[in-house]
């Protein structure tokens, strides 16, 4: 009888672990203590004034065990329903993949599915970088850079170009052959090595730091190209302040103290049951100072960006490379004639649209007085064909236009 109760206690502890394990070390200690108490109680039950204690203990244990089993069953059923609902609801990438442009390519059907499977790892200082990946439309190398077809990087005498930016430089929406770095490589020829350092979500500061870490490792290029703007404004809008990377609150949460109660509430919010119920436990609003107005935020964003320009200029002088920075297009800025497919995308920025307008106006003004900074948000003003997949990302034909603007601005040509 005692061994059977100990067995029941161990089973109960295992079930409790399944429920409590997402809540970390504190929950683990709590589970251990509870398990010990259950086993001690089971062992001592027969010796303590017998049947009354045994009946009480058995009844309480049965209720606890049944409750846990019932909660696990509810969570399992909720997980099935939530996942079925997600399968039936197309994602943004699913919708992008159905655009006529991608249906008419031999890689478009694979591209948006592959984007969903590319994962990221931690990288010092810049926070994240893509894991190695090999697909039909995209190949990510071991160092986290995207493949540039034709790049002759094994030749120490090759003319080397480092290209930095966010997902627009990486080439979201394009195959390896259709990225901006790929078009630059094609123009420079087989004696060049163009490296695509573009990374999802990167702002100018992360790109500048990435350049610094490459220089620290002894990798000095002949030329450096930055392609920024979209993520810098988006991060400012997201954080309510400039000079920070995207998803700041999520990254910061990993380092902030957490109580058992708050951890349990967070795990409950993340459960499938709460997702199915529509999130009846809303997260408390973060305690933050009043959000500055858009003009202030735009000024902060432009100032932070120009400081990065100054840092790159100093590095270029120290290490002897050419460089240029390009402020990229966005669908709500400039005078591109929008196609029927593009027109609905202009409203996709929501309340961030005003901040984009203010920031872009400031950068356009300051680019006239800043060497090596090129405002090319107007690059598509005379292009009537379909280019925009969403408010930021473009098809390969758009990338080719951007690459040509870069080559012209830096006076780079075949065989440089």
């Amino acid at each position: 009888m005692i061994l059977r109760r100990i067995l029941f206690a161990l089973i109960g502890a295992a079930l409790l672990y399944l429920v409590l394990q997402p809540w970390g070390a504190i929950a683990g200690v709590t589970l251990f203590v509870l398990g010990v108490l259950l086993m001690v109680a089971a062992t001592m039950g027969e010796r303590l004034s017998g049947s009354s204690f045994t009946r009480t203990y058995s009844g309480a244990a049965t209720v606890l065990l049944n409750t846990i089993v019932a909660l696990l069953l509810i969570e399992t059923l909720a997980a099935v329903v939530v996942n079925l609902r997600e399968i039936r609801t197309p994602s943004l990438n699913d919708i992008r993949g159905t655009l006529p442009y991608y249906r008419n390519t031999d890689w478009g059907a694979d591209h948006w599915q592959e984007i969903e499977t590319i994962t990221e790892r931690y990288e010092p200082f810049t926070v994240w970088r893509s894991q190695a990946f090999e697909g039909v439309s995209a190949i990510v190398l071991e160092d986290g850079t995207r493949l540039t077809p034709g790049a002759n990087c094994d030749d120490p005498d090759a003319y080397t170009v480092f290209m930095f930016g966010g997902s627009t430089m990486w080439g979201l929406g394009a195959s390896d052959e259709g990225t901006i770095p790929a078009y630059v490589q094609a123009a420079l020829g087989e004696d060049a090595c163009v490296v695509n350092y573009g990374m999802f979500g990167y702002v100018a500061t992360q790109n500048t730091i990435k350049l610094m870490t490459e220089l620290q490792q002894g990798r000095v290029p002949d030329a450096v190209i930055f392609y920024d703007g979209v993520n810098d404004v988006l991060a400012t809008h997201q954080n309510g302040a400039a000079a920070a990377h995207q998803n700041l609150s999520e990254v910061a949460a990993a380092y902030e103290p957490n109580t058992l109660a708050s951890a349990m509430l967070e795990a409950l919010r993340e459960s499938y049951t709460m997702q199915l119920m529509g999130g009846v436990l809303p997260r408390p609003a973060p305690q933050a100072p009043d959000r500055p107005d858009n003009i202030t935020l735009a000024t902060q964003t432009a100032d932070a960006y120009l400081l990065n320009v100054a840092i790159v200029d100093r590095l270029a002088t120290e290490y002897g490379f050419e460089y240029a920075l390009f402020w990229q297009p966005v669908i709500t800025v400039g005078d591109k004639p929008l196609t029927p497919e593009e027109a609905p995308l202009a409203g996709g920025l929501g309340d961030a649209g005003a901040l984009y307008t203010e920031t872009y106006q400031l950068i356009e003004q300051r680019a006239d007085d800043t060497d090596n900074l090129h405002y090319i948000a107007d690059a598509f003003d005379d292009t009537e064909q379909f280019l925009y997949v969403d408010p930021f990302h473009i098809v390969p034909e758009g990338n080719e236009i951007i690459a040509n603007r870069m080559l012209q601005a830096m006076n780079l040509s075949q065989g440089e």
Side-chain angles (χ1 to χ4, degrees):
M1 182 68 71
I2 293 176
L3 291 176
R4 187 173 67 183
R5 291 199 178 98
I6 292 176
L7 179 61
F8 285 162
L10 291 172
I11 293 173
L15 290 172
L16 282 174
Y17 174 76
L18 291 175
V19 178
L20 294 177
Q21 60 91 15
W23 299 337
I26 297 178
V29 173
T30 304
L31 173 61
F32 174 77
V33 173
L34 181 59
V36 170
L37 290 176
L38 284 171
M39 285 187 286
V40 170
T43 304
M44 299 298 296
E46 290 288 347
R47 301 178 182 179
L48 295 177
S49 185
S51 60
S52 176
F53 176 87
T54 301
R55 287 194 299 272
T56 301
Y57 172 79
S58 297
T62 300
V63 169
L64 176 62
L65 196 57
N66 287 339
T67 300
I68 293 171
V69 170
L71 289 174
L72 290 173
L73 286 174
I74 292 171
E75 178 69 2
T76 300
L77 290 173
V80 172
V81 173
V82 168
N83 285 306
L84 284 175
R85 188 168 60 185
E86 289 181 353
I87 291 173
R88 294 174 181 173
T89 304
S91 68
L92 177 59
N93 285 335
D94 290 332
I95 295 172
R96 289 163 167 166
T98 63
L99 291 170
Y101 179 93
Y102 293 103
R103 292 203 302 268
N104 295 325
T105 67
D106 57 2
W107 52 269
D110 297 294
H111 180 72
W112 297 107
Q113 295 178 12
E114 291 174 353
I115 293 300
E116 298 277 0
T117 61
I118 295 176
T119 57
E120 295 167 349
R121 57 177 168 79
Y122 171 76
E123 181 173 88
F125 304 112
T126 53
V127 190
W128 65 87
R129 172 64 58 177
S130 288
Q131 300 268 23
F133 174 84
E134 184 171 354
V136 173
S137 71
I139 295 176
V140 179
L141 305 177
E142 289 294 333
D143 62 358
T145 62
R146 187 174 181 180
L147 174 71
T148 303
N152 184 18
C153 297
D154 292 330
D155 182 358
D157 297 323
Y159 184 80
T160 304
V161 182
F162 288 176
M163 302 189 71
F164 298 92
S167 55
T168 49
M169 176 64 86
W170 186 90
L172 183 64
S175 64
D176 287 334
E177 294 77 13
T179 66
I180 297 171
Y183 286 115
V184 172
Q185 175 69 50
L188 296 181
E190 61 183 12
D191 293 328
C193 165
V194 177
V195 185
N196 185 351
Y197 286 99
M199 187 64 243
F200 305 118
Y202 267 25
V203 297
T205 300
Q206 286 169 296
N207 291 321
T208 303
I209 293 173
K210 183 61 180 175
L211 170 61
M212 292 172 60
T213 59
E214 292 301 290
L215 295 173
Q216 288 173 343
Q217 296 299 316
R219 293 186 278 270
V220 181
D222 296 291
V224 171
I225 295 176
F226 284 77
Y227 187 53
D228 304 298
V230 164
N231 289 333
D232 298 271
V233 180
L234 187 59
T236 295
H237 180 265
Q238 192 181 71
N239 300 319
H245 58 70
Q246 291 189 36
N247 306 315
L248 180 63
S249 59
E250 288 84 350
V251 175
Y255 298 92
E256 293 174 353
N258 211 1
T259 64
L260 177 59
S262 63
M264 292 174 68
L265 278 174
E266 185 60 27
L268 187 58
R269 291 189 188 100
E270 296 295 332
S271 69
Y272 286 108
T273 304
M274 288 297 105
Q275 292 181 46
L276 190 60
M277 295 175 65
V280 296
L281 291 176
R283 289 181 174 83
Q287 299 297 315
D290 292 337
R291 183 184 181 90
D293 59 72
N294 282 330
I295 295 177
T296 300
L297 289 174
T299 302
Q300 292 176 353
T301 304
D303 288 344
Y305 184 75
L306 292 172
L307 181 57
N308 281 300
V309 175
I311 293 171
V312 173
D313 181 75
R314 183 64 181 269
L315 291 172
T317 301
E318 182 69 23
Y319 287 89
F321 56 79
E322 301 177 79
Y323 78 95
L325 303 99
F326 298 86
W327 193 262
Q328 65 195 110
V330 61
I331 198 168
T332 55
V333 178
D335 298 316
K336 182 192 184 302
L338 300 181
T339 68
E341 292 170 309
E342 291 173 321
L345 302 174
L349 294 179
D351 58 356
L355 181 58
Y356 274 93
T357 300
E358 293 288 350
T359 308
Y360 270 60
Q361 288 175 350
L362 281 176
I363 294 294
E364 184 177 18
Q365 294 167 7
R366 298 187 185 188
D368 292 335
D369 302 321
T370 306
D371 293 339
N372 301 88
L373 173 58
H374 305 273
Y375 179 87
I376 60 169
D378 58 356
F380 305 140
D381 283 2
D382 299 323
T383 306
E384 296 184 359
Q385 71 185 96
F386 170 77
L387 295 180
Y388 281 105
V389 180
D390 57 37
F392 313 125
H393 300 101
I394 53 181
V395 297
E397 287 79 359
N399 288 333
E400 185 174 16
I401 293 171
I402 296 300
N404 288 333
R405 288 286 295 265
M406 291 175 171
L407 291 164
Q408 293 166 9
M410 296 189 71
N411 196 27
L412 297 177
S413 60
Q414 182 94 11
E416 277 279 291

